[in-house]
């Protein structure tokens, strides 16, 4: 019987997730509602303070106006009327502000209308008093004050101020009580939802706890497999590095041996052939001139073969590297190669480097050789500069061109054996190798660094 396995999430986990989601949404909504209610309560508290401030301000302005009029009546100086003139403009704006603040409170609107009527009555009483004073003097004002009309109006204003403040306090107390009631309900709802959320979290913890111990065995097995794989990879990498080092050494030794054999055996044979051809040519020059000319052509071909042999030997193992040292070999190779390719070249080599390890010499020469070949083949450059310097920590080599630059994936291309070979030569000597854009992002800079051994 064929066994089927399901990769879908169990239904109970989905249910728990949806439940948690709704709980979180409910808590967020409840918190938002509480915030809005608190904001509304604070706004109403501020509204209450502003109403009280305006009422107190109106009462103070009226009292200041009354005091200023008394000063005017007693001294006759018009300066004392200044507070009354200021109060008239301020009181008008205060009443308009109160109308705006109390527009949604019908009882307070009526009280404000009555307060405005009393203020208008009091203002008329002040204006009449000023007119009486100007017409009849202080005697007329005293006679008018005996009636007591102004005092009754002022008492009514104070009483109405108290009534309006009491009304505001009652409304504020009612709103505050309503807010506390709603807050208790919200607190109860939040506690209930948090309890449910805690229960769901406990269930989730149990599920995670079980799955954790189920997967620990798998993770341990994977870790063991990864450790074994990493150990194997490191061992293989080390083996490959040793093999690469060995192959490079063997290659250089074989090239050197082949170069010596070509130079010794083939060179001596070609020299002997050349000498024999020269002797035969001299003997046939007068008797058989045609054969002598043919032998001369043969000798020229033989000399070309000697040049070819020399180039092959130099490619296999530069003789100048063993005879004249690294600096002269690099300069000679650059001079010949760039002359054929039509490149302008410059060298910045600070010394001869005759005392360095031969392995370093051949590595640095091969890196320079491969870099210059890449410049000629791919860079489309017109100038190249080779720098070799001794630093405090090692030897630093740079090949800089002004070509089209090198692509970022040059190291990963299947045919990038030359670059990988240069890097491998530097790494095998404990050094570093890099390819980066040249100066001002023009061309390519190939750099190798080989540190001194500690």
């Amino acid at each position: 019987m064929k066994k089927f396995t399901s990769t879908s999430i169990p239904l109970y986990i989905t249910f728990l997730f949806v439940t948690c989601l709704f709980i979180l949404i409910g808590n967020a909504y409840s918190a938002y509602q509480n915030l809005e209610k608190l904001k509304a309560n604070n706004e109403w508290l501020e509204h209450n303070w502003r109403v009280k401030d305006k009422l107190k301000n109106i009462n103070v302005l009226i009292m200041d106006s009354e005091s200023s009029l008394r000063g005017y009546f007693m001294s006759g100086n018009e300066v004392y009327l200044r507070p009354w003139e200021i109060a008239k403009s301020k009181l008008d704006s205060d009443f308009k502000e109160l109308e705006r603040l109390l527009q949604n409170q019908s009882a307070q609107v009526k009280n404000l209308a009555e307060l405005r009527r009393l203020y208008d009555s009091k203002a008329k009483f002040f204006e009449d008093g000023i007119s009486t004073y100007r017409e009849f003097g202080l005697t007329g004002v005293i006679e008018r004050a005996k009636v007591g009309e102004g005092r009754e109006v002022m008492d009514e204003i104070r009483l109405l101020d108290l009534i309006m403040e009491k009304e505001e306090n009652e409304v504020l107390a009612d709103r505050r009580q309503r807010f506390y009631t709603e807050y208790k309900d919200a607190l109860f709802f939040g506690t209930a939802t948090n309890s449910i959320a805690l229960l769901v979290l406990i269930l989730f913890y149990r599920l995670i706890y079980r799955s954790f111990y189920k997967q620990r065995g798998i993770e341990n097995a994977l870790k063991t497999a990864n450790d074994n794989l990493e150990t194997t990879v490191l061992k293989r990498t080390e083996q490959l590095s040793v093999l690469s080092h060995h192959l490079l050494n063997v290659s250089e030794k074989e090239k050197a041996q082949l170069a010596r054999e070509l130079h010794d055996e083939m060179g001596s044979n070609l020299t002997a052939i050349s000498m024999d051809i020269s002797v035969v040519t001299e003997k046939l020059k007068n008797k058989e001139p045609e054969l002598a000319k043919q032998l001369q052509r043969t000798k020229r071909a033989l000399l070309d073969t000697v040049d070819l042999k020399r180039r092959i030997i130099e490619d296999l193992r530069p003789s100048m590297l063993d005879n004249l040292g690294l600096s002269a070999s690099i300069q000679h190779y650059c001079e010949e190669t760039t002359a054929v390719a039509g490149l302008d070249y410059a060298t910045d080599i600070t010394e001869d480097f005759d005392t360095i390890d031969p392995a370093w010499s051949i590595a640095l020469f091969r890196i320079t050789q491969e870099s210059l070949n890449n410049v000629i083949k791919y860079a489309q450059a017109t100038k190249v500069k080779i720098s070799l310097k001794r630093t405090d920590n090692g030897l630093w080599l740079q090949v800089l061109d002004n070509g089209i630059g090198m692509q970022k994936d040059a190291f990963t291309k299947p045919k990038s054996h030359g670059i990988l070979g240069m890097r491998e030569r530097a790494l095998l000597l404990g050094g570093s190798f890099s390819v980066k854009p040249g100066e001002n992002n023009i061309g390519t800079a190939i750099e190798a660094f080989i540190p001194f051994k500690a």
Side-chain angles (χ1 to χ4, degrees):
M1 184 176 179
K2 192 174 181 179
K3 185 177 181 181
F4 294 93
T5 58
S6 175
T7 58
S8 61
I9 299 176
L11 183 61
Y12 65 91
I13 293 181
T14 304
F15 175 75
L16 289 176
F17 173 76
V18 173
T19 303
C20 268
L21 182 63
F22 276 108
I23 290 172
L24 292 174
I25 293 174
N27 278 336
Y29 179 76
S30 176
Y32 174 77
Q33 290 294 322
N34 289 336
L35 182 63
E36 290 296 319
K37 290 174 183 177
L38 180 61
K39 181 180 177 181
N41 187 69
N42 290 336
E43 289 177 351
W44 186 259
L45 182 62
E46 184 180 355
H47 168 274
N48 179 265
W49 288 342
R50 292 177 67 182
V51 170
K52 289 181 179 179
D53 287 342
K54 292 297 178 183
L55 290 173
K56 290 179 180 179
N57 191 45
I58 290 173
N59 195 13
V60 169
L61 287 174
I62 294 175
M63 293 177 64
D64 287 345
S65 300
E66 192 171 32
S67 298
S68 69
L69 287 177
R70 290 197 186 104
Y72 171 67
F73 293 153
M74 295 181 66
S75 64
N77 191 347
E78 295 284 341
V79 175
Y80 285 96
L81 293 179
R82 183 64 179 171
W84 165 238
E85 298 295 333
I86 295 173
K88 285 192 292 184
S89 60
K90 287 186 176 180
L91 284 169
D92 188 60
S93 62
D94 287 345
F95 274 112
K96 289 181 180 179
E97 180 67 15
L98 277 174
E99 289 176 2
R100 186 185 66 80
L101 293 173
L102 300 175
Q103 59 184 350
N104 296 323
Q105 298 173 251
S106 57
Q108 290 288 68
V109 169
K110 293 179 181 179
N111 292 334
L112 182 62
E114 178 64 19
L115 182 63
R116 185 60 187 261
R117 186 190 67 78
L118 292 173
Y119 163 72
D120 292 339
S121 175
K122 188 67 174 178
K124 185 175 182 305
F125 179 78
F126 286 162
E127 293 293 341
D128 291 343
I130 293 171
S131 300
T132 302
Y133 178 79
R134 288 174 178 171
E135 184 176 355
F136 299 105
L138 185 59
T139 305
V141 173
I142 293 173
E143 292 296 328
R144 192 169 183 276
K146 292 179 180 180
V147 179
E149 180 181 355
R151 181 173 295 177
E152 293 176 358
V153 173
M154 195 63 198
D155 292 339
E156 290 181 8
I157 289 175
R158 292 193 184 96
L159 179 61
L160 195 56
D161 282 342
L162 293 175
I163 292 172
M164 293 182 72
E165 286 187 12
K166 182 180 179 181
E167 184 72 23
E168 284 295 312
N169 291 334
E170 290 176 354
V171 172
L172 180 61
D174 180 67
R175 284 181 174 270
R176 186 177 295 165
Q177 183 62 36
R178 194 187 315 162
F179 170 75
Y180 285 140
T181 302
E182 293 175 351
Y183 180 76
K184 289 179 182 178
D185 295 339
L187 184 62
F188 175 78
F189 174 77
T191 303
T193 54
N194 287 334
S195 300
I196 297 173
L198 181 61
L199 178 62
V200 172
L201 288 175
I202 293 173
L203 293 176
F204 262 123
Y205 173 77
R206 290 176 61 86
L207 293 173
I208 294 172
Y209 183 81
R210 290 177 181 176
S211 63
F212 173 77
Y213 282 99
K214 285 181 180 179
Q215 293 184 7
R216 173 173 283 186
I218 299 174
E219 291 176 358
N220 290 334
L222 288 175
K223 185 177 183 300
T224 303
N226 288 334
D227 292 340
N228 293 335
L229 180 60
E230 185 177 356
T231 303
T232 303
V233 170
L234 290 175
K235 187 180 296 183
R236 293 291 185 270
T237 303
E238 183 178 357
Q239 292 173 353
L240 288 174
S241 297
V242 173
L243 178 61
S244 177
H245 193 189
H246 174 70
L247 290 176
L248 285 174
N249 289 333
V250 169
S251 175
E252 291 297 335
K253 289 179 180 179
E254 289 179 349
K255 286 179 181 180
Q257 183 178 356
L258 181 58
R260 284 194 298 269
E261 291 177 357
L262 288 174
H263 181 270
D264 295 339
E265 298 182 10
M266 188 177 180
S268 60
N269 291 336
L270 291 175
T271 301
I273 293 172
S274 176
M275 293 173 63
D276 290 341
I277 291 175
S278 298
V279 172
V280 174
T281 302
E282 285 295 326
K283 291 182 178 181
L284 294 176
K285 185 182 296 183
N286 297 324
K287 297 178 181 181
E288 297 289 341
E290 292 297 328
L291 290 176
K293 290 181 181 179
Q294 188 173 357
L295 287 174
Q296 288 177 351
R297 288 195 297 270
T298 303
K299 185 176 181 180
R300 285 195 296 270
L302 181 62
L303 293 176
D304 292 339
T305 304
V306 173
D307 290 336
L308 176 61
K309 183 263 304 182
R310 183 184 61 82
R311 290 197 300 271
I312 292 173
I313 291 174
E314 290 297 323
D315 288 338
L316 290 173
R317 176 71 179 186
S319 59
M320 294 186 66
L321 193 62
D322 297 324
N323 299 326
L324 300 179
L326 178 61
S327 301
S329 300
I330 290 177
Q331 292 180 4
H332 178 72
Y333 179 79
C334 292
E335 183 178 355
E336 287 191 344
T337 306
T338 55
V340 175
L343 281 176
D344 292 334
Y345 86 98
T347 57
D348 182 12
I349 302 177
T350 57
E351 55 181 288
D352 294 333
F353 302 102
D354 295 333
T355 60
I356 65 174
D357 191 329
W360 290 26
S361 297
I362 190 63
L364 292 171
F365 181 82
R366 293 300 186 195
I367 292 173
T368 304
Q369 187 179 40
E370 184 64 32
S371 300
L372 200 56
N373 290 337
N374 287 339
V375 171
I376 295 172
K377 290 180 181 179
Y378 310 113
Q380 301 178 19
T382 60
K383 296 180 181 179
V384 63
K385 181 181 178 181
I386 296 90
S387 301
L388 178 61
K389 298 180 180 181
R390 184 191 299 267
T391 66
D392 294 337
N393 301 320
L395 297 183
W396 176 76
L397 171 68
Q398 182 190 65
V399 179
L400 178 65
D401 66 75
N402 64 342
I404 60 176
M406 186 173 291
Q407 297 179 357
K408 294 181 179 180
D409 58 348
F411 280 101
T412 59
K413 283 186 175 180
K415 296 182 179 180
S416 60
H417 304 299
I419 297 177
L420 294 176
M422 290 187 287
R423 182 175 66 174
E424 191 66 20
R425 286 182 183 275
L427 294 179
L428 288 175
L429 295 175
S432 60
F433 178 82
S434 65
V435 179
K436 58 186 180 181
E439 297 177 357
N440 299 322
N441 290 325
I442 298 174
T444 304
I446 298 176
E447 295 183 358
F449 178 77
I450 300 178
F452 295 130
K453 294 181 181 179

